[in-house]
Amino acid sequence: MTESGKPILYSYFRSSCSWRVRIALALKGIDFEMVPVNLIKDGGQQFSKAFQALNPMKQVPTLKIDGITIHQSLAIIEYLEETRPTPRLLPRDPKKRASVRMISDLIASGIQPLQNLSILKKVGEETQLTWAQNAITSGFNALEQILQSTAGKYCVGDEVTMADLCLVPQVANAERFKVDFTPYPTISCINKRLLALEAFQVSHPCRQPDTPTELRA
Amino acid sequence: MTESGKPILYSYFRSSCSWRVRIALALKGIDFEMVPVNLIKDGGQQFSKAFQALNPMKQVPTLKIDGITIHQSLAIIEYLEETRPTPRLLPRDPKKRASVRMISDLIASGIQPLQNLSILKKVGEETQLTWAQNAITSGFNALEQILQSTAGKYCVGDEVTMADLCLVPQVANAERFKVDFTPYPTISCINKRLLALEAFQVSHPCRQPDTPTELRA
């Protein structure tokens, strides 16, 4: 936390996991300070000694809050939910909470890790686009089917939940990797509804303090 | 659920994510029926139409319980925790809960997906051992450091938590991929303590109904 007691979010404008947390902070109206960590510049600022001391996984997002440092976006969101419960990002009903966490984990464990920057580097430049598209479409094929039984206005029912915080950034990655959205009408429709909400707009990668000028909107 | 109302776990003996859930069920003393899904045989039974209808991600574990079907091991464990809270797998203190979820997610999103069967198939036979070792050691390097500030007898303090349910199966994978444990004294020590507990033994891959005879212990 800063001297003023504000939480500090270590973030990168384009990191989809950082975006999840930025949406949560915006929805819950939590005032915070942002420290940009450029994952590309200087060979990756996440590899600096200072940052590694903060997060040995060398990843964003990382949140300093209430005297502790939390890594992993979903762990951060669950902590915010437990300590700042309004508005809720998890429904009251345990069965609906299970749907929210299932969709969140499907994206956070089943899609995002397989198409993130460090993996694509290892895969090599020639095959990385196909690799990323395969990872995303095989996850989205399942997600589209699951949403047909869980969705209302949003991923689970008619309230914004943690699942929606995972969906929108993953859709943005899919667009970046030129995924064809024809097979995903439910995903597309929910994504569009969510992007109309202020919390998803102020947290958007095109509006961050570290967004390069040419990508600003 | 079965006609008798027992939950049904779709599981594969060697799947580390299935093992996480088997430990939770054992610790909480939940009686269940197991349906083995062989991820190798017949080109992978998870790809059958019947199984895809149950879990469009084509993955184990999948749990049918209380009239719903849940995929994703951590979503399953959180649901069990909310509906069958004794014994606790998450501490009462939100800050400690954050540590538990951070470690769980580090393994479930940061390590396991990068070394699972379907990815290693894509990586190709020649490089898959090195690929898996790199994924595990880069995660374990961080985890060893994190545990130094969170661990007591187990990953977070002196009670078994969800983090421990993720640790032991990941260590077993690491051993299978011949990872050198010299740099990980804390991980090794916690793993050894956990393996001495009955719930970790009855759920062990070498003691499942679908464990091949030559791997039984």
Side-chain angles (χ1 to χ4, degrees):
Chain A
M1 306 226 278
T2 59
E3 276 176 36
S4 61
K6 273 192 212 175
I8 303 176
L9 178 68
Y10 296 81
S11 165
Y12 178 55
F13 77 102
R14 191 175 255 166
S15 145
S16 63
C17 303
S18 298
W19 190 6
R20 295 174 194 158
V21 174
R22 294 196 303 257
I23 304 167
L25 291 164
L27 282 169
K28 288 179 177 291
I30 301 168
D31 193 19
F32 67 101
E33 193 173 293
M34 186 182 294
V35 176
V37 178
N38 193 314
L39 303 187
I40 310 283
K41 207 176 138 188
D42 312 327
Q45 296 174 341
Q46 73 277 26
F47 300 117
S48 74
K49 274 205 175 158
F51 190 75
Q52 283 192 47
L54 199 68
N55 182 345
M57 275 299 268
K58 307 163 213 165
Q59 289 172 338
V60 288
T62 297
L63 185 70
K64 276 187 165 179
I65 188 167
D66 302 339
I68 57 171
T69 303
I70 319 179
H71 334 132
Q72 301 292 335
S73 60
L74 298 188
I76 294 172
I77 295 167
E78 293 264 6
Y79 179 79
L80 295 176
E81 181 71 3
E82 290 185 343
T83 57
R84 281 100 172 147
T86 311
R88 303 187 141 270
L89 296 176
L90 286 168
R92 273 180 212 282
D93 172 21
K95 293 183 186 179
K96 286 194 182 146
R97 293 163 78 87
S99 293
V100 170
R101 290 195 175 109
M102 176 171 84
I103 294 168
S104 303
D105 291 349
L106 187 160
I107 296 170
S109 296
I111 305 180
Q112 195 282 332
L114 305 176
Q115 54 88 76
N116 86 354
L117 187 64
S118 61
I119 293 308
L120 295 182
K121 267 191 204 163
K122 283 189 198 166
V123 169
E125 215 165 311
E126 281 170 36
T127 46
Q128 62 183 218
L129 185 69
T130 324
W131 176 284
Q133 286 174 341
N134 286 343
I136 296 171
T137 54
S138 82
F140 274 13
N141 290 342
L143 186 56
E144 178 71 21
Q145 202 173 319
I146 290 167
L147 289 173
Q148 275 155 34
S149 63
T150 63
K153 254 172 89 177
Y154 305 119
C155 282
V156 179
D158 294 326
E159 305 294 332
V160 173
T161 66
M162 181 165 71
D164 300 302
L165 278 53
C166 296
L167 184 77
V168 167
Q170 188 58 58
V171 168
N173 281 357
E175 288 169 344
R176 218 147 53 82
F177 292 120
K178 305 185 195 343
V179 166
D180 172 19
F181 273 79
T182 319
Y184 311 124
T186 317
I187 293 175
S188 301
C189 178
I190 295 172
N191 181 63
K192 206 174 154 188
R193 274 193 206 114
L194 289 162
L195 280 176
L197 305 178
E198 200 197 343
F200 289 75
Q201 291 173 0
V202 296
S203 58
H204 196 284
C206 72
R207 286 177 62 180
Q208 297 311 299
D210 57 333
T211 309
T213 320
E214 66 275 19
L215 297 174
R216 288 192 166 274
Chain B
M1 305 224 278
T2 59
E3 277 175 33
S4 62
K6 273 192 207 172
I8 303 176
L9 177 67
Y10 296 80
S11 165
Y12 178 55
F13 77 102
R14 192 175 253 165
S15 145
S16 63
C17 303
S18 298
W19 190 7
R20 293 173 195 159
V21 174
R22 294 195 304 257
I23 304 168
L25 291 165
L27 282 168
K28 289 179 177 290
I30 301 167
D31 192 19
F32 67 101
E33 195 174 292
M34 186 182 294
V35 176
V37 179
N38 193 313
L39 303 187
I40 310 284
K41 208 176 140 188
D42 312 326
Q45 296 175 339
Q46 73 278 25
F47 299 117
S48 75
K49 274 204 174 158
F51 190 76
Q52 282 192 46
L54 201 69
N55 183 345
M57 274 300 268
K58 306 162 216 165
Q59 289 172 338
V60 289
T62 297
L63 186 71
K64 276 187 164 179
I65 190 168
D66 303 340
I68 56 170
T69 302
I70 319 178
H71 333 133
Q72 300 294 333
S73 59
L74 298 188
I76 294 172
I77 295 168
E78 294 263 8
Y79 178 79
L80 295 176
E81 181 71 2
E82 291 184 344
T83 56
R84 281 100 173 147
T86 312
R88 305 189 140 268
L89 296 177
L90 285 168
R92 273 180 211 282
D93 172 22
K95 292 183 185 178
K96 285 194 182 145
R97 293 164 77 88
S99 293
V100 169
R101 290 195 175 107
M102 176 172 84
I103 293 169
S104 303
D105 290 349
L106 187 159
I107 295 170
S109 296
I111 304 180
Q112 194 282 332
L114 305 176
Q115 53 88 77
N116 86 353
L117 188 64
S118 59
I119 293 310
L120 294 183
K121 267 190 204 163
K122 284 189 198 167
V123 168
E125 218 166 309
E126 280 171 36
T127 45
Q128 61 183 217
L129 185 68
T130 323
W131 176 284
Q133 286 173 341
N134 287 342
I136 296 170
T137 54
S138 85
F140 274 12
N141 289 343
L143 185 57
E144 178 71 20
Q145 203 173 317
I146 290 167
L147 289 174
Q148 274 156 34
S149 63
T150 62
K153 255 173 90 179
Y154 305 119
C155 282
V156 179
D158 293 327
E159 305 294 331
V160 174
T161 66
M162 181 165 71
D164 300 301
L165 278 52
C166 297
L167 184 78
V168 167
Q170 188 57 59
V171 168
N173 281 357
E175 287 169 344
R176 216 146 56 81
F177 292 120
K178 305 184 191 347
V179 165
D180 171 20
F181 273 79
T182 319
Y184 312 125
T186 317
I187 292 175
S188 302
C189 178
I190 295 172
N191 181 63
K192 205 174 153 187
R193 274 193 206 114
L194 289 162
L195 280 176
L197 304 178
E198 201 197 343
F200 289 75
Q201 291 172 359
V202 296
S203 59
H204 196 284
C206 72
R207 286 177 62 179
Q208 296 312 299
D210 57 333
T211 310
T213 321
E214 66 276 18
L215 297 175
R216 288 192 165 275

